[in-house]
Amino acid sequence: MGTTNVRELSPPILEEIQEAQRRLKGTALRTPLVRLDAGDARAELWLKLENLQPIGSFKIRGAGNAILSAPRAELVHGVYTASAGNMAQGVAYVGRKLGVRSTVIVPEHAPEAKLAAIQRLGGRIVKVPFDRWWQTLLEHEYPGMEGHFIHPVADRRVMAGNGTIGLEILEELPDVDAVLVPFGGGGLSVGIASAVRALKPATKIYACEVETAAPLRASLAAGKATTSDYTPSFVDGIGGKSVLVEMWPLVRALLDGSLVVSLAEIVGAIRLLVERNRIVAEGAGAASVAAALKGVPDARKIVCVVSGGNIDPAKLAKVLVGEMP
């Protein structure tokens, strides 16, 4: 059985992120950065379209870098992760590419669209109650499971892969004032912030949370990693019961704050993306856009990371007719 003792974790350095960028060529796409057609916005809004990755999510970057940089001897018995769906697809996609078997521990509320995609990519699914799934994130292992565990958040190689998004943003829009990043466990925001802070320290990096699960806001208010109210919703790719203790020092040091949006605001952002730019985003992916539409102080150019597009078609259909999924 694992331990919940706090592991020391440091963010990736610029050289590790640049190496990840080279390593991921041929696995992850360099995704487009496009202007959002939102004429009434108070700032110039840009979209970093990670929903266009082969698995429909940024997770291919972190999963790809972690697996591709691991010694082959560590992959003999396969790889496994704990994921609500997108990291699972990343691990399964890269595992299949390398001929490495993959297993995914998923919470019971994981959406069918993501479960079907995991199976399509050859991943084996182990479904457990949310609390047991969360324990796997805390312990970095699942009892009796064979293979090399890849943490979806608190892994330096995963964060370095995620950080390649920051490199691409600055290469195309070097005068960006703020980058808005959906916040689940912090691996995406810390990776991007590590790259951006190294190259353009004045750029603000904000985490975006949904009000039904906003542990970072609660932790920032308390001055320590803490728990918060958690209500499951259609926004399944972000939001947990707490900030992981090992991630807290990193997010506190690297992020400029938490921008919290409502479910209704996320619904509006999903619909806007479809209507204005013909872009399909899942709830988590649209959280950054919802936050940008509310306004970001002192930011003229804002990049919203659209982290994924894996939304159930039935839920998307409800959104498009103005209903809450």
Side-chain angles (χ1 to χ4, degrees):
M1 192 73 172
T3 176
T4 54
N5 290 339
V6 180
R7 295 167 171 82
E8 287 191 11
L9 187 64
S10 57
I13 61 174
L14 180 60
E15 288 75 16
E16 289 173 304
I17 299 170
Q18 291 169 332
E19 178 58 34
Q21 189 176 45
R22 291 187 287 270
R23 186 177 290 123
L24 288 169
K25 284 183 178 177
T27 297
L29 295 179
R30 182 188 179 98
T31 54
L33 184 67
V34 302
R35 183 83 179 266
L36 174 62
D37 178 18
D40 52 351
R42 285 169 278 182
E44 193 175 296
L45 304 184
W46 292 80
L47 307 171
K48 182 61 172 166
L49 297 178
E50 289 299 296
N51 59 314
L52 298 182
Q53 290 289 359
I55 61 164
S57 162
F58 78 95
K59 292 285 191 178
I60 194 172
R61 295 179 187 257
N65 192 51
I67 295 173
L68 292 169
S69 61
R72 289 293 294 189
E74 292 184 16
L75 305 178
V76 169
H77 298 293
V79 293
Y80 73 101
T81 190
S83 167
N86 283 337
M87 186 65 172
Q89 291 179 61
V91 168
Y93 179 92
V94 180
R96 185 178 68 173
K97 185 176 181 180
L98 296 180
V100 175
R101 72 173 181 267
S102 61
T103 302
V104 187
I105 315 298
V106 304
E108 288 177 328
H109 71 274
E112 288 302 320
K114 292 180 179 179
L115 296 178
I118 295 166
Q119 292 175 317
R120 188 170 64 247
L121 293 168
R124 182 171 72 96
I125 294 170
V126 177
K127 192 179 289 190
V128 300
F130 180 88
D131 287 342
R132 186 63 196 83
W133 175 78
W134 188 256
Q135 196 66 21
T136 307
L137 297 181
L138 298 178
E139 296 178 349
H140 289 236
E141 67 175 8
Y142 187 82
M145 184 69 67
E146 269 197 336
H148 178 65
F149 180 69
I150 298 175
H151 198 286
V153 177
D155 183 309
R156 190 171 172 134
R157 297 167 302 172
V158 168
M159 289 187 284
N162 296 339
T164 59
I165 296 171
L167 297 182
E168 292 175 14
I169 289 171
L170 291 182
E171 286 164 6
E172 294 192 40
L173 198 68
D175 57 344
V176 58
D177 297 308
V179 181
L180 275 53
V181 189
F183 185 91
L188 177 59
S189 52
V190 166
I192 291 174
S194 297
V196 174
R197 293 269 182 258
L199 296 169
K200 194 172 182 291
T203 302
K204 302 290 187 183
I205 311 290
Y206 291 102
C208 301
E209 299 185 281
V210 60
E211 63 184 8
T212 51
L216 180 58
R217 176 176 63 178
S219 297
L220 291 171
K224 62 180 180 180
T226 188
T227 58
S228 66
D229 293 335
Y230 170 79
T231 304
S233 74
F234 78 95
V235 184
D236 55 81
I238 58 173
K241 293 185 175 182
S242 65
V243 173
L244 294 169
V245 176
E246 60 202 313
M247 291 296 293
W248 169 244
L250 281 64
V251 297
R252 180 180 56 187
L254 288 167
L255 304 183
D256 290 289
S258 166
L259 305 177
V260 179
V261 295
S262 68
L263 290 175
E265 287 165 337
I266 289 179
V267 165
I270 294 173
R271 188 172 178 180
L272 177 75
L273 286 169
V274 171
E275 291 177 346
R276 300 282 182 88
N277 283 58
R278 306 299 183 263
I279 290 165
V280 173
E282 62 188 272
S288 57
V289 177
L293 292 170
K294 290 179 75 171
V296 180
D298 303 318
R300 295 174 298 101
K301 288 190 178 182
I302 300 170
V303 170
C304 305
V305 177
V306 181
S307 55
N310 295 319
I311 184 171
D312 280 336
K315 292 178 181 176
L316 178 61
K318 284 191 172 184
V319 168
L320 294 181
V321 296
E323 297 178 7
M324 180 69 66

